[in-house]
Amino acid sequence: MNFPPPGRFPPLILDDVRGAQKMLSGVAKVTPLEGSRHLSALVGAPVRFKCENLQRTGSFKLRGAYVRISGLSPVERAAGVVAASAGNHAQGVALASALLGVRSTVFMPVGAPLPKVAATREYGAQVRLHGHVVDETLAAAQEYAHETGAVFIHPFDHPDIIAGQGTVGLEILDQCPEVRTIVVGIGGGGLAAGVAVAVKAVRPDVRIIGVQAAGAACYPPSLAAGHPVSIDTLQTMADGIKVGRPGDVPFGLVQELVDEVRTVSEDELSSALLLCLERAKMVVEPAGASPVAALLSDPKSFRGPVVALLSGGNVDPLLMQRILTHGMSAAGRYLSLRLRLTDRPGALAAMLGVLSVADANVLDVSHVRTDPRLGLTEAEVELHLETKGPEHCEEVAAALRGAGYLVVG
């Protein structure tokens, strides 16, 4: 294996992951594998979800955090641990520390969602809000570690973390021995690296496909360069995989063992999250839905049976509302129109009657009479409609035009 940087850590092997699995017995759940009839039909082969969104703390992060903290010496445990995270890693470290009787401090960004902050505190960590971006929060946590002697628990750049996350791969092989493709989201690379180490050692024929958000894809340029490189702009709703630079430790494993890294758009992430909720009844965060987004974007390119790893389900309710709206829009199930009509009694009711016949659900109506663009007897109406899909959107617009309304936008 190419395992940079040389000499820093010994190479990670299958025995490390199996040791982590024993350590996690009775601590981490063996999460279920659920089938998806809809995706199976699209792919033309069985598709199953590995539901780490149902793991304790709502994500896979507990696995790596517990293994890492378990490996600390008595002196290190006495000094406590510190981490920086906007959510999933924070909760994993908090619970793992509480289970092991270790004092934990977690730095979170000032704008971190309140449910995630509250959950981290409830798991037993002392939470400190610092910085508005994760880089500032990370710097504060590292400074705290330097000043206090607390052990910094990195979210992905350590062999113990990777070994813990790799236990997901062993479970997939046990639950679906016939698997031929595993699709997993990639941020810093800890989960993908761990799964690849475990799976490739037992089943080298299984394809491992990593997925990144196109707006925060640090792995494609890093793999092209042959070493981790940083990207400056990070724009994605998928906070769980919003990482600007691959970890040094997982990068070599991903480079060696992951067969392909794909990217998905924000629209594809939204549509995937909506599908998980509507068709699989799974609450999944955008990062956790990234493998589903990849399957939706090019279903025939996957060799089945396929396991899509739903890495987490910790999504803020307000963000969920915005994402679902975005997902429905991306799926062609929202239609926004502006149209002109004659300003007379009953005109608005008549227009709404056309929409009723077209079976469009009106979500919002804005009626404007006083605008310099309008004629003396004109009014403009802005409509937000719920539809059944792209074809229905066209049918609704055609029905309005057929009834004599001027659609202007």
Side-chain angles (χ1 to χ4, degrees), residues 4 75 112 130 163 201 206 218 239 241-242 267 281 320 381 385 392:
V75 172
H130 185 93
V206 173
C218 61
D239 287 345
I241 52 175
K242 190 177 179 180
D267 282 352
K281 307 302 182 260
M320 171 71 89
V381 175
L385 310 172
H392 190 211

Side-chain angles (χ1 to χ4, degrees), residues 55-112:
Q55 183 57 260
R56 297 178 71 178
T57 76
S59 88
F60 70 97
K61 289 288 189 176
L62 172 65
R63 297 172 183 265
Y66 189 90
V67 173
R68 173 76 173 100
I69 298 169
S70 293
L72 298 180
S73 69
V75 172
E76 289 173 322
R77 291 193 186 198
V81 299
V82 60
S85 168
N88 288 346
H89 181 57
Q91 293 173 68
V93 169
L95 179 56
S97 299
L99 293 172
L100 292 165
V102 177
R103 185 177 68 257
S104 63
T105 302
V106 176
F107 284 77
M108 303 182 76
V110 172

Side-chain angles (χ1 to χ4, degrees), residues 159-221:
D160 290 348
I161 295 287
I162 297 170
Q165 321 305 28
T167 59
V168 180
L170 294 181
E171 289 179 15
I172 290 173
L173 293 179
D174 286 342
Q175 294 169 315
C176 185
E178 69 276 17
V179 64
R180 299 180 73 189
T181 305
I182 297 174
V183 192
V184 56
I186 299 185
L191 177 61
V195 168
V197 167
V199 172
K200 290 289 190 178
V202 180
R203 287 277 310 281
D205 60 302
V206 173
R207 282 181 60 80
I208 309 292
I209 298 178
V211 184
Q212 291 209 288
C218 61
Y219 263 90

Side-chain angles (χ1 to χ4, degrees), residues 297-312:
S297 68
D298 192 6
K300 296 303 181 183
S301 66
F302 292 87
R303 184 178 64 184
V306 179
V307 173
L309 208 169
L310 308 183
S311 58

Side-chain angles (χ1 to χ4, degrees), residues 66 92 96 113 148 157 170 194 263 280 298 355 370 381:
Y66 189 90
T148 65
D157 206 12
L170 294 181
T263 60
D298 192 6
L355 293 174
T370 56
V381 175

Side-chain angles (χ1 to χ4, degrees), residues 254-286:
V254 171
Q255 184 183 44
E256 183 74 18
L257 300 173
V258 172
D259 295 281
E260 182 184 354
V261 175
R262 302 186 182 187
T263 60
V264 292
S265 69
E266 298 299 284
D267 282 352
E268 287 166 341
L269 286 169
S270 298
S271 297
L273 191 145
L274 185 62
L275 181 142
C276 288
L277 188 64
E278 286 190 329
R279 306 300 291 266
K281 307 302 182 260
M282 289 285 176
V283 176
V284 183
E285 62 192 84

